[in-house]
């Protein structure tokens, strides 16, 4: 509800040189103002477009259409939303077919309550240069809290046509000031002349020309240099206003002195003193700052506005933050995958051999249980670098720890997002390559370039795939089991390169590749019917390769962490791949190769966790199957069903 505004004058003068605004259309008023004052005003609203502001985020186009269509035919309505979250920005544009309907909507629907909030309607001005000229814009302060947009509009509408009227609000409560934008500069001058210094709801208001923020900030240094108002804090609560005034009056003429108090009238311990001139205020600050009054040391300084204090505090916070970051740059380490029994002292002992440690801390939850990670800070970057090199991947207890330089949360988040996007792109590229290669029967495993499964730019091997080399007629193929239970055919015992599918191979040879060894769920063995070519064409002879039973310790359900200690990164990947493949084959026999390649992109520490936790491995396998199924369905390919 709008509050009634009581003023000391009831005679509202019209705008000189213009007819009564009520008898002119909006276009006529705009043209008359442009001709008389030569100022840039909005052109006639040929598009009949209205700006609707102060909207609740839940307001939709349908609600606005229902409201505005009662005035006339609506051409279009658009609620402006955030490009990412699609959340309403609190304003919209309503376009009518003709200007008359727009004028009627502006007159009848302005400040209508929508979702418990009165909307604010004005003509849409798309030209930013005209919006920012500031011509006809006035500023009103010291407003009563009960005065809202409509009450302010009703008060100032007598002086001319108002383009926009707004009371500044915070959490639904007036901040005590507002703005009125008139169509003409003359109307603004009339409003300033007749309302400045008047009482509105028993409060004396100030009305003046609006000064843009940039101009106010450019004059800020000048204002600082000539301050007259000072701020005093750390006052004893027993100090009275008379004692307070007597303390400062010896430095010059005081125009006001007040101690802030609460609702009960008790002192809040701070106050303000305003002098007649700057020199007196400066002398009071210089001589009374850090002096004692009733046993308390006073703080005396130039009074600052709220936004100025906030800016200064923000600057101090950012400066302290940057100093802290620079201080610990390159010396603070992040350690994860710690066992639960490791405390601060144990962590310090493990890293103390690499240099002087300034702090070591294991992070804990509210129940004082370890979160599995911590931080160690060294005195120099060289010591920290040495610790990262030596300790990353080292076993502490029964777990290999991860050690790296500590990073800020925002930096870490951006890096992870970049890595995820890169991986997704690579997976899509490899999936596309796999689909095209699959047309010729060549299975391609998912693997990150440069990681396990990518060698010399060749396609990633399919785990469990058998590389068959054409035997020379008259010789006996030399067979042995490879690392993944597959069979490598070495004619005459000489190593040969596996055949590469270039997309132009012999169709019969491609068919022979498709007849690969398949692993059964109950036995770790592989069998294959493969055609052996003599170099001149397909042979009618079928060689049946006996199944090879795996008795290796790598097939054990419990992974021995000691196997990877001291091994290189590639060797660790090799060992982990040998352990993962049979476990995945038992779950997804037909997709084991691709899924293993996908999982080997993960960090080695996480792979060890998968080997030790069947539940975690099941979840990862299901996730990989879902990704493969979605891709193959999107490309129109048949998805193999698990046995």
């Amino acid at each position: 509800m709008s509050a009634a505004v009581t003023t000391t004058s009831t005679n509202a003068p019209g705008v000189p040189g213009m007819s009564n605004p009520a008898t002119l259309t909006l276009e006529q008023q705009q043209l008359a103002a442009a001709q008389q004052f030569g100022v840039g005003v909005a052109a006639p609203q040929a598009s009949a477009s209205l700006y609707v502001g102060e909207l609740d985020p839940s307001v939709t186009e349908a609600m606005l259409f229902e409201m505005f269509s009662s005035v006339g035919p609506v051409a279009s309505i658009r609620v402006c939303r955030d490009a990412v979250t699609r959340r309403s920005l609190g304003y919209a544009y309503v376009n009518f077919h003709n200007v008359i309907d727009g004028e009627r909507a502006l007159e009848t629907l302005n400040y209508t309550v929508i979702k418990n909030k009165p909307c604010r309607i004005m003509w849409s001005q798309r030209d930013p240069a005209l919006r920012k000229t500031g011509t006809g814009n006035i500023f009103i302060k010291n407003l009563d809290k009960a005065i809202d947009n409509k009450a302010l509009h009703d008060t100032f509408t007598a002086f001319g046509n108002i383009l926009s009227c707004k009371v500044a609000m915070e959490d639904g409560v007036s901040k005590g000031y507002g703005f009125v934008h008139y169509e003409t500069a003359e109307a603004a001058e009339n409003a300033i002349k007749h309302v400045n210094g008047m009482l509105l709801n028993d409060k004396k208001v100030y009305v003046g020309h609006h000064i843009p923020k940039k101009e106010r900030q450019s004059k800020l240094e000048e204002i600082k240099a000539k301050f007259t108002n000072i701020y005093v804090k750390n006052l004893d609560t027993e100090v009275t206003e008379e004692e307070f005034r007597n303390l400062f009056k010896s430095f010059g003429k005081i125009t006001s002195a007040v101690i802030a108090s609460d609702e009960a009238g008790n002192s809040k311990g701070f106050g303000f003193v305003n002098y007649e001139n700057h020199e007196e205020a400066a002398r009071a600050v210089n001589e009374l700052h850090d002096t004692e009054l009733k046993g308390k040391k006073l703080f005396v300084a130039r009074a600052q506005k709220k936004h100025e204090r906030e800016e200064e505090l923000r600057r101090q916070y950012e400066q302290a933050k940057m100093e802290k970051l620079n201080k610990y740059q390159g010396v603070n380490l992040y350690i994860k995958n710690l066992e639960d029994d490791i405390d601060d002292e144990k962590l310090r002992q493990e890293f103390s051999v690499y240099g002087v440690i300034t702090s070591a801390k294991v992070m804990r939850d509210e129940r004082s249980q370890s979160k599995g990670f911590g931080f160690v800070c060294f005195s120099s970057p060289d010591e920290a670098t040495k610790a990262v090199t030596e300790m990353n991947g080292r076993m502490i207890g029964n777990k290999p720890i991860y050690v790296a330089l500590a990073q800020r949360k925002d930096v870490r988040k951006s890096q992870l997002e970049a890595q995820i996007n890169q991986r997704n792109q690579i997976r899509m590229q490899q999936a596309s390559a796999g689909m095209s290669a699959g047309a010729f029967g060549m299975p391609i495993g998912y693997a990150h370039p440069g990681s396990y499964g990518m060698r010399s730019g060749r396609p990633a091997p399919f785990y469990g795939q058998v590389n068959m080399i054409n035997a020379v007629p008259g010789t006996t193929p030399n067979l042995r089991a490879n690392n993944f239970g597959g069979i490598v055919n070495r004619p005459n015992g000489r190593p040969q390169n596996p055949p590469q599918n270039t997309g132009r191979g012999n169709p019969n040879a491609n068919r022979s590749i498709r007849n690969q060894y398949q692993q059964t769920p109950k036995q770790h063995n592989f069998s294959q019917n493969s055609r052996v070519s003599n170099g001149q064409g397909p042979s009618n002879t079928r060689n049946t390769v006996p199944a090879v039973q795996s008795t290796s310790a790598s097939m054990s359900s419990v992974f021995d962490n000691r196997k990877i200690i001291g091994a290189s990164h590639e060797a660790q990947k090799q060992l982990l791949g040998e352990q993962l493949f049979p476990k995945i084959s038992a779950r997804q026999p037909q997709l084991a190769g691709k899924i293993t390649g996908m999982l080997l992109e993960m960090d080695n520490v996480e792979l060890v966790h998968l080997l030790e936790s069947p539940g975690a491995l099941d979840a990862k396998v299901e996730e990989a199957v879902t990704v493969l199924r979605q891709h193959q369905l999107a490309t129109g390919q048949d998805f193999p069903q698990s046995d």
Side-chain angles (χ1 to χ4, degrees):
M1 297 293 292
S2 300
V5 180
T6 304
T7 66
T8 59
S9 175
T10 58
N11 295 325
V15 180
M18 294 183 62
S19 302
N20 186 351
T23 63
L24 297 177
T25 64
L26 181 62
E27 295 94 324
Q28 292 170 333
Q29 294 178 39
Q30 290 172 337
L31 291 173
Q35 292 170 358
Q36 292 186 8
F37 302 105
V39 294
V41 296
Q45 304 295 331
S47 63
S49 178
L50 296 178
Y51 166 88
V52 186
E54 315 295 326
L55 295 176
D56 186 87
S58 61
V59 173
T60 63
E61 285 86 351
M63 296 179 187
L64 295 177
F65 180 82
E66 184 178 354
M67 184 176 97
F68 283 90
S69 61
S70 62
V71 175
V74 176
S76 65
I77 295 179
R78 183 169 70 91
V79 174
C80 296
R81 303 181 182 277
D82 184 89
V84 179
T85 64
R86 306 306 300 164
R87 179 179 171 83
S88 170
L89 297 176
Y91 64 94
Y93 292 96
V94 178
N95 299 315
F96 285 95
H97 287 289
N98 57 72
V99 178
I100 296 175
D101 292 334
E103 290 177 348
R104 189 183 303 115
L106 188 59
E107 293 172 2
T108 60
L109 299 179
N110 204 4
Y111 307 113
T112 300
V113 177
I114 309 174
K115 290 277 187 178
N116 300 321
K117 290 183 70 175
C119 68
R120 185 167 59 90
I121 306 174
M122 57 183 286
W123 289 110
S124 172
Q125 178 52 265
R126 298 302 179 124
D127 187 353
L130 296 177
R131 288 202 308 267
K132 296 177 181 179
T133 56
T135 303
N137 201 5
I138 63 174
F139 169 70
I140 306 101
K141 70 176 180 179
N142 202 32
L143 289 171
D144 187 78
K145 301 289 185 183
I147 296 178
D148 58 8
N149 292 337
K150 189 175 188 321
L152 190 67
H153 185 279
D154 292 343
T155 302
F156 284 87
T157 191
F159 304 101
N161 188 35
I162 294 176
L163 298 179
S164 173
C165 178
K166 180 177 181 180
V167 174
M169 309 288 284
E170 185 174 23
D171 298 328
V173 179
S174 169
K175 297 172 78 173
Y177 65 90
F179 306 90
V180 176
H181 193 181
Y182 284 101
E183 189 177 21
T184 67
E186 185 180 12
E189 292 290 348
N190 273 332
I192 293 172
K193 179 180 177 181
H194 290 88
V195 183
N196 186 31
M198 288 177 56
L199 294 177
L200 298 182
N201 282 12
D202 298 326
K203 292 188 75 173
K204 187 176 181 179
V205 297
Y206 165 84
V207 183
H209 290 288
H210 169 62
I211 303 174
K213 187 175 181 179
K214 288 184 178 180
E215 293 184 23
R216 294 199 307 271
Q217 289 178 340
S218 64
K219 296 179 180 179
L220 189 60
E221 293 301 324
E222 182 181 347
I223 296 172
K224 287 181 181 179
K226 296 182 179 180
F227 69 91
T228 58
N229 197 19
I230 63 176
Y231 167 70
V232 186
K233 74 173 181 178
N234 205 28
L235 287 170
D236 189 270
T237 54
E238 301 299 324
V239 175
T240 64
E241 285 200 3
E242 184 179 353
E243 292 173 334
F244 185 62
R245 179 181 285 271
N246 291 336
L247 178 65
F248 287 90
K249 72 178 183 180
S250 60
F251 298 98
K253 186 177 180 180
I254 296 175
T255 59
S256 68
V258 62
I259 295 177
S261 59
D262 57 19
E263 294 81 1
N266 299 321
S267 170
K268 290 184 176 181
F270 68 91
F272 299 90
V273 179
N274 192 48
Y275 286 93
E276 196 171 63
N277 58 66
H278 164 68
E279 290 75 14
E280 296 168 348
R283 190 163 65 252
V285 170
N286 294 333
E287 297 189 18
L288 290 179
H289 182 60
D290 284 342
T291 60
E292 288 193 4
L293 177 65
K294 292 191 175 183
K296 285 194 171 184
K297 185 177 288 188
L298 299 178
F299 174 87
V300 185
R302 177 181 65 85
Q304 296 175 302
K305 292 186 177 181
K306 183 179 179 181
H307 72 85
E308 191 180 345
R309 290 197 309 274
E310 290 176 346
E311 184 64 30
E312 186 173 336
L313 289 173
R314 189 181 299 110
R315 187 168 57 251
Q316 291 175 357
Y317 171 76
E318 290 295 333
Q319 184 178 353
K321 182 179 178 182
M322 292 306 300
E323 288 177 357
K324 185 178 179 181
L325 290 175
N326 294 333
K327 180 180 178 182
Y328 296 109
Q329 186 70 31
V331 297
N332 197 22
L333 302 185
Y334 166 71
I335 301 98
K336 72 175 180 179
N337 205 36
L338 295 172
E339 291 195 329
D340 294 341
D341 60 348
I342 293 181
D343 56 13
D344 297 352
E345 189 57 34
K346 268 189 181 180
L347 187 64
R348 181 183 287 270
Q349 289 176 2
E350 292 288 344
F351 284 85
S352 61
V353 296
Y354 301 104
V356 179
I357 296 176
T358 58
S359 68
K361 184 173 181 62
V362 175
M363 306 307 293
R364 300 185 178 276
D365 58 18
E366 60 277 358
R367 295 177 296 176
S368 297
Q369 294 182 352
S370 172
K371 290 184 176 181
F373 69 92
F375 299 90
V376 174
C377 188
F378 285 91
S379 59
S380 71
D382 292 339
E383 296 171 349
T385 303
K386 184 179 179 182
V388 172
T389 305
E390 298 290 336
M391 292 296 290
N392 188 31
R394 178 170 292 188
M395 300 291 296
I396 295 184
N398 294 321
K399 287 184 177 182
I401 63 171
Y402 171 84
V403 184
L405 289 173
Q407 294 176 309
R408 296 202 317 269
K409 186 176 181 180
D410 54 342
V411 175
R412 209 164 54 245
K413 183 179 178 181
S414 61
Q415 288 183 352
L416 287 174
E417 289 176 350
Q419 290 175 4
I420 291 171
N421 291 335
Q422 184 181 10
R423 286 184 179 183
N424 290 339
Q425 291 177 359
I426 292 172
R427 284 177 178 176
M428 293 302 295
Q429 293 172 0
Q430 291 181 342
S432 300
M435 293 304 103
S436 60
F440 296 97
M442 174 64 75
I444 303 294
Y446 279 67
H448 193 284
S451 67
Y452 186 82
M454 292 296 284
R455 300 292 182 268
S456 304
R458 297 176 181 174
F462 183 75
Y463 290 88
Q465 161 185 341
V466 178
N467 299 317
M468 296 297 295
I469 309 301
N470 297 332
V472 178
T475 64
T476 302
N478 183 13
L479 305 177
R480 70 174 181 86
N482 68 1
N483 290 331
F484 296 101
I487 305 300
V488 177
N489 187 359
R490 295 174 179 264
N492 298 330
R494 292 191 300 270
Q496 298 287 336
N497 292 328
Q500 300 295 322
N501 185 2
T502 63
R504 297 187 300 273
N506 190 334
N508 296 322
N510 291 329
R511 284 195 297 271
S512 72
I513 295 173
R514 283 196 293 269
N515 294 326
Q516 296 188 26
Y517 285 73
Q518 301 294 327
Q519 180 185 12
T520 62
K522 296 182 180 179
Q523 292 182 340
H524 295 293
N525 57 52
F526 302 88
S527 65
Q528 177 189 23
N529 291 328
S530 174
R531 297 186 179 186
V532 181
S533 172
N534 60 6
Q536 298 175 351
S539 172
N540 294 326
T541 304
R542 291 181 178 270
N543 295 330
T544 303
V545 183
V548 180
Q549 184 74 30
S550 174
T551 58
S552 165
S554 65
M555 307 299 285
S556 173
S557 61
V558 179
F559 179 64
D560 188 357
N561 290 333
R562 292 173 296 179
K563 289 183 178 182
I564 65 173
I565 298 177
S568 65
H569 183 74
E570 285 196 10
Q572 290 178 1
K573 286 287 185 187
Q574 174 86 10
L575 291 169
L576 292 170
E578 293 173 2
Q579 296 291 331
L580 277 172
F581 178 73
K583 293 178 181 292
I584 296 173
S585 296
R587 294 164 170 81
Q588 292 288 338
Q590 297 189 31
L591 300 173
K594 291 186 178 181
I595 296 175
T596 305
M598 294 169 69
L599 296 187
L600 284 178
E601 296 179 16
M602 299 169 59
D603 188 77
N604 288 356
V605 174
E606 297 174 344
L607 293 175
V608 171
H609 173 66
L610 293 182
L611 290 170
E612 295 175 346
S613 173
L617 181 60
D618 288 340
K620 284 293 180 184
V621 170
E622 288 301 319
E623 183 181 345
V625 170
T626 302
V627 172
L628 291 172
R629 181 183 290 113
Q630 290 175 350
H631 175 75
Q632 296 213 8
L633 291 176
T635 55
Q637 308 251 348
D638 293 333
F639 186 77
Q641 301 295 324
S642 58
D643 294 339

